Amino acid sequence: AKADGRGTYRFFETGMDARAQARRLLEMDLRAAVQRNEFAVYYQPIRDVARDVVVAFEALVRWKHPERGLISPVNFIPLAEETGLVVALGEQVLQVACAEAATWPDDIGVAVNLSPVQFKSPNLVASVVDALALSGLDARRLELEITESVLLQNSEATLTTLHELRALGVRISLDDFGTGYSSLSYLRSFPFDKIKIDRSFVQELSTREDSMAIVRAVTGLGRSLGIATTAEGVENDAQLELLRREGCTQVQGYLFSQPRPASEVTNMLERPRFR
Ligand code: C2E
Ligand code: CA
Ligand code: CA
Ligand code: CA
């Protein structure tokens, strides 16, 4: 048995099944990838509904694996979180995203996802300060997306961090709203700039009345609290029309564009539907 440094034990010599072995290989690979910075940041446009223009891009990481090609974040972020590697990885993404966004037109923002693990790291605020200073990006152009799980403890420390980030001038979005342990008290405990309606609700908009009711409730809530709402995962015109009717502030999804490399940002700005 071997300690993995987090107080738990894993058995390497005996009883290690194929899955555990695969996981261990992936972990070694991921560790090396973080050292070599084998990641690319892709960007997906976020459009303002009323003005019908791109206002920001969401930064979405991909692993450019030398043998296995492009790997989706759903296949390595969970392991990166378990191993703590997500802290270093997240810092790389933040730096790259800020540096790339600094080359875009001034009125275009960038939204970066923060893992709850990264959020708890004592370096978070300093790494945001560094990324802004290194890139020269105006803090007002940076949005940080956090999920509800960050707020689960609702501790003083969490709120302090959120307020420190806000004091830098960055905006804070509540991602995947409605999927986790959503509680309206989160919206009272911290003044979020934006609520992102999870794509599971958007995708069932025209087929499930309860999804429609939830979207209507969230956009209404946003309006009365003065918080912008972004619908993610918009794939067709029917969804867009319903969201527009409900007064959703922003939309994002394959209808407009899939996430693409930085080299395609100009094209995505010029063509409303880039598929
Ligand atoms: P998320 O933050 O909810 O990001 C939205 C995901 O939905 C992205 O998947 C995006 O490509 C996908 N998407 C966008 N529009 C559509 C659509 O119209 N239809 C469908 N079916 N999907 C759409 P992606 O890029 O695979 O990322 C998955 C998740 O991985 C993200 O979910 C986020 O939780 C995580 N992630 C991605 N990049 C980072 C990162 O840099 N740091 C951290 N901590 N997590 C990241
Ligand atoms: Ca997100
Ligand atoms: Ca999301
Ligand atoms: Ca999601």
Side-chain angles (χ1 to χ4, degrees), residues 44 58-62 72-74 77 86 93 113-115 118 145 175-176 199 203 232-235 253-254 259:
Q44 184 179 41
E58 179 171 0
L60 295 155
V61 70
R62 270 85 182 107
S72 154
V74 296
I77 292 286
V86 78
V93 171
N113 291 285
L114 290 188
S115 155
Q118 206 183 342
E145 299 193 357
D175 202 357
D176 298 345
R199 84 167 173 258
Q203 279 168 355
E232 49 179 37
V234 181
E235 293 183 352
Y254 294 170

Side-chain angles (χ1 to χ4, degrees), residues 97-141:
C98 288
E100 289 179 333
T103 71
W104 306 341
D106 282 349
D107 52 349
I108 305 292
V110 66
V112 177
N113 291 285
L114 290 188
S115 155
V117 175
Q118 206 183 342
F119 194 87
K120 286 191 210 92
S121 121
N123 280 333
L124 176 69
V125 177
S127 71
V128 173
V129 170
D130 282 354
L132 289 170
L134 281 168
S135 61
L137 186 76
D138 185 334
R140 286 168 299 184
R141 291 173 61 193

